[in-house]
Amino acid sequence: MAEIVANKLTDIGPPKYDEMWPEVIKNNYGKWLYHDILEPGVMVHVSETGDKVWSLRCAATRLMTTMHLEAICKIADEFGDGFFRFTTRNNVEFIISDESKLEPLKKALADNGQLPLGGTGASITNIVHTQGWVHCHTPAIDASGVVKAVMDELFDYFNSHKLPAQVRISLACCLNMCGAVHCSDISILGVHRKPPVIEHSHLDKMCEIPTTIAACPTAAIKPSKVDDFKSVQVNADRCMFCGNCYTMCPAMPLADAEGDGIALWVGGKVSNSKHMPMFSKLAVPYIPNEPPRWPTTVETIKKIVEVYEGSAMKYERVGEWAQRIGWEKFFEKTGIEFSHHHIDDYRFAATTWRTSTQFKW
Amino acid sequence: MAKLHDTPMLDELEKGPWPSFVTDIKKLAEAGNEPCADLLGQLELSYKDKEGHWKHGGIVGVLGYGGGVIGRYSDVPELFPGVEHFHTLRVNQPASKFYKTERLREVMEIWDRRGSSMLNMHGSTGDMVLLGAFTEELEPIFAELTQKGWDLGGSGSALRTPSCCVGKARCEFACIDTQDICYNLTMEFQDEMHRPAWPYKFKFKVDGCPNCCVASLARSDCAIIGTWRDDIRIDQEKVAAYVNGEIAAHGGAHGQDDKLDIKADVIDLCPTGCMAYVDGKLEINNAECTRCMHCINVMPQALRPGLDKGASILIGAKAPILDGAQMGSLIIPFIKMEEPYDDFKEFVEKMWDWWDENGKNRERIGECIQRLGLSAFIEACDLDPIPQMVKEPRSNPYIFYKEDEVPGGFERDIADYRKKHAR
């Protein structure tokens, strides 16, 4: 082992991108003219050289084993000259330049059983998500399990083009938002609802008290002596359960079976198309954790999608639709209850209050 | 042989049409992989407890690097010894996540031999994530990876692994060479990536066009987004073909039978109203166009971005922690972004110098700009203020003037004042 470690290199960077391209991509780099989606999950791109490539987009679990990855590699070896790629939404894409391989590849994917085609055009594609209980130390919810339960229910929207526009769903298992769900059509966000429980006997040993105090965005933490231990106190009225103190100080955990759960957000987007990019807005402040299949979360998301599908105009993203009909109508149509939690009481709150006589009943 | 745990709740996640991560992990567990068996066991316990079972953090890493490895320990190791240590290695992904299977298998082989065989393809920042190693395996894994030509990505208060969209490899909309920019920046700034030295994390993301498929505008401190300065290219024959229903609208995004209604789907949805369809011809008043991409998206065979291409640079996007979510603010409306990208790198160095000097612990650059002002930031970057940087001018009257902006400066004589004004 010493020999292996002595031979290590540093700062070599990733493999250069062009080493990972199939020949047809190399030959047509920057020369693509247009694309066409032939059926859900199957695209053809046409180059000015006359070359064409067919891309087959498949669902993937993001969290996967080398066994599954090897199965993907074998399909890529057989059909894609030993190349494939992942999309930004963690789908798997096989790219082929020989049209005669299209049907056999589709059959190979169907035979695998874990690589369904879809995620193109006016669909719900793969849910971008974080680690959840599988691997993270601050989560309020699981990630992979919630995604599986939601996508099972929305599967008909993954492999079809029946929505008014694309709907992007993302999941982050706590407010850290590694999944950056703050600009998604529908966001699933793990939330804590109880202030941190403080381990006074160990806090001074595990944490820097000034850094811990400085970490609180609302200045809710102050130094305190408890049972002769140097520790801190939290002003519960000021705590908005962001978990930043726990990130800085392991002696202040937030996780709690009854306190934690899911908030749903809607109407965000990152694309500049038509309307400018938009933040996601709160739809449901809290749904309890319901493992293993989170039925309330799944049903609520399905309801939002179905109402959007039936009410939005073509090309209208969820946020554009809600903005056009008005948020009061969004709550009426979806049947989601509006509560005081929907009224912003954090920074810049006033920018979201209605300052007009224009409203709908 | 791995001990297989009962997982009645997780077994429910083997049902349904979406691929099941439980089925996948179970197969390896059944083949004798102990980390996979114990990972399912611990996850089942989390489902029962409705709380996670990983300890907070853990300082582990590889010699010479301050990042790239994230420590993780089970808080119930006696029940699940296979995941007692379950450290993550972030492996720097090839641009746009293209893989040659032969090269990917190098990583998989090392990971099967020394790690858990579990991966994330990919982490949110873009890295290939090797999920679950014991501490003593970290150095050998790193050494073997680099021998095969793979390096670690960024973690901690460092430059995070840059990522990009598919770009010119397979997208007709790409206005910049996203893959080359991503690779070039990664190679140039490796030291910043591997040795955390900043107030907090910093992310580059590269999008080829304003459709923003990698969400650079929402989740990168520096978003590089392809755009163009001249006119949208029009093929009027193809426009007619769309109008006549000969080509499916929106590249078939609504199905191959979907026809384009030029008025409802294009003209009326243009956010600036700069388009008209007159006498069978599409007219675009390009001076009014804000390059939103909608018309190009719905008529990809008829319309193309112009030829004077480059990028817009937006700074300061981030998720909520700490100061609330922010989107990137437009700082440079247009830069050519041509190799070797020296003018862009010059801007980056100025930006980092300012943030390094002024940023507080765990303050992203976007928050630092919020606190100290956009004007201070653009001044530090040697940029002139222009209207493109704001949605609208300020509506509050509290304007900060500097002493040298006012004739005579701030120093005045109270005696002179009193000569004209009684006390």
Side-chain angles (χ1 to χ4, degrees), chain A residues 270-313:
Chain A
V270 293
S271 158
N272 291 272
S273 173
K274 306 187 297 301
H275 290 73
M276 286 192 201
M278 297 190 273
F279 284 122
S280 315
K281 282 104 181 151
L282 181 66
V284 184
Y286 180 75
I287 299 171
N289 259 328
E290 298 169 325
R293 294 205 61 106
W294 284 269
T296 312
T297 299
V298 170
E299 280 159 28
T300 313
I301 291 173
K302 196 173 184 205
K303 173 83 178 164
I304 294 168
V305 172
E306 284 173 350
V307 172
Y308 160 76
E309 183 190 6
S311 165
M313 298 202 292

Side-chain angles (χ1 to χ4, degrees), chain B residues 281-353:
Chain B
K281 291 246 185 302
L282 185 69
E283 292 174 0
I284 303 176
N285 179 358
N286 280 280
E288 294 299 316
C289 171
T290 49
R291 300 165 308 286
C292 87
M293 290 296 294
H294 174 70
C295 60
I296 297 174
N297 287 338
V298 296
M299 294 198 286
Q301 294 197 40
L303 301 179
R304 305 181 74 187
L307 291 166
D308 183 13
K309 294 168 179 170
S312 297
I313 309 297
L314 291 90
I315 304 298
K318 55 179 280 290
I321 299 283
L322 260 181
D323 239 5
Q326 276 180 233
M327 289 197 215
S329 292
L330 182 68
I331 299 298
I332 302 178
F334 190 87
I335 185 169
K336 280 303 272 185
M337 285 313 281
E338 283 166 353
E339 214 268 326
Y341 317 108
D342 284 343
D343 47 352
F344 175 73
K345 288 173 188 169
E346 213 173 286
F347 161 73
V348 167
E349 297 285 357
K350 285 178 193 163
M351 167 169 69
W352 283 346
D353 279 351

Side-chain angles (χ1 to χ4, degrees), chain A residues 108-143:
Chain A
L109 296 173
D111 289 348
N112 177 282
Q114 293 284 301
L115 293 163
L117 282 166
T120 51
S123 73
I124 293 176
T125 188
N126 210 342
I127 297 182
V128 167
H129 66 95
T130 57
Q131 309 266 40
W133 292 331
V134 168
H135 197 239
C136 185
H137 67 161
T138 66
I141 59 173
D142 190 29

